[in-house]
């Protein structure tokens, strides 16, 4: 902002000087030459502070993240969203599968994990059922093993 004040002050000072000089000259041809010189003086007096302000302008980019950091952060966010959506879809599928076979679970929890080659595997399945569905624990385990490839942990509440 100080660069703007410098430009304004220089323009005002140059204008005052040019006005004073113009008032002292009465001859027509000398006045034209003086106006030409004063015009050049005004332009130069405004250009010097502006060019100095432009040269001294340094945007602060130290706190900004690099492209690689932003890409890594975006990839991590996308990966986390994919895992969350996959877990949600699997839980909904398991709930629907159990309901189709006459079991109304209180809830299903599927824990997913990522492998080294960026694939997603099912780490653990927990199914929460009521006491009146406890005789169907073997059916629940068999259906889950058949469709998801893992034996679930069935919790009776």
């Amino acid at each position: 902002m100080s660069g703007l004040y410098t430009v304004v002050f220089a323009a005002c000072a140059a204008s005052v000087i040019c006005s004073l000089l113009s008032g002292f000259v009465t001859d027509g041809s000398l006045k034209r030459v003086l106006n030409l010189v004063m015009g050049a003086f005004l332009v130069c007096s405004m250009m010097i502070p502006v060019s100095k302000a432009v040269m001294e302008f340094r945007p602060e980019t130290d706190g900004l993240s690099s492209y690689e950091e932003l890409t890594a952060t975006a990839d991590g966010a996308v990966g986390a969203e994919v895992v969350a959506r996959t877990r949600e879809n699997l839980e909904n599928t398991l709930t629907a599968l159990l309901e189709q076979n006459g079991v109304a679970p209180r809830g299903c929890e599927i824990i997913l994990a990522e492998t080294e080659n960026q694939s997603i595997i099912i780490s653990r399945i927990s199914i929460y059922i009521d006491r009146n569905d406890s005789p169907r624990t073997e059916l629940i385990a068999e259906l889950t093993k058949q469709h998801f490839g893992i034996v679930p942990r069935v919790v009776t509440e």
Side-chain angles (χ1 to χ4, degrees), residues 27 34 36 63 70 76 92 101 132 143 151:
D27 185 23
L34 187 61
L36 180 64
L70 290 174
N92 292 339
N101 288 289
N132 56 355
L143 283 170
V151 177

Side-chain angles (χ1 to χ4, degrees), residues 72-143:
T73 304
D75 289 345
V78 168
E81 184 65 24
V82 166
V83 170
R85 292 286 181 185
T86 302
R87 180 186 52 78
E88 183 180 323
N89 289 341
L90 288 172
E91 288 173 354
N92 292 339
T93 302
L94 179 58
T95 301
L97 175 70
L98 293 174
E99 286 175 352
Q100 286 175 357
N101 288 289
V103 178
R106 286 184 149 214
C108 298
E109 181 182 24
I110 298 178
I111 307 295
L112 300 176
E114 282 189 55
T115 62
E116 294 86 28
N117 61 355
Q118 303 298 321
S119 61
I120 300 172
I121 60 170
I122 298 174
S123 176
R124 186 177 76 203
I125 297 177
S126 299
I127 302 171
Y128 303 98
I129 60 171
D130 290 327
R131 292 199 186 277
N132 56 355
D133 284 330
S134 61
R136 297 182 157 186
T137 303
E138 288 182 32
L139 173 67
I140 294 169
E142 184 180 320
L143 283 170

Side-chain angles (χ1 to χ4, degrees), residues 60-73:
E60 295 181 23
T61 59
D62 295 338
L64 299 178
S65 301
S66 68
Y67 174 75
E68 290 80 18
E69 291 170 335
L70 290 174
T71 303
T73 304

Side-chain angles (χ1 to χ4, degrees), residues 21-36:
L21 283 176
S22 176
F24 290 121
V25 177
T26 56
D27 185 23
S29 63
L30 184 61
K31 194 166 192 155
R32 281 191 219 129
V33 172
L34 187 61
N35 282 338
L36 180 64

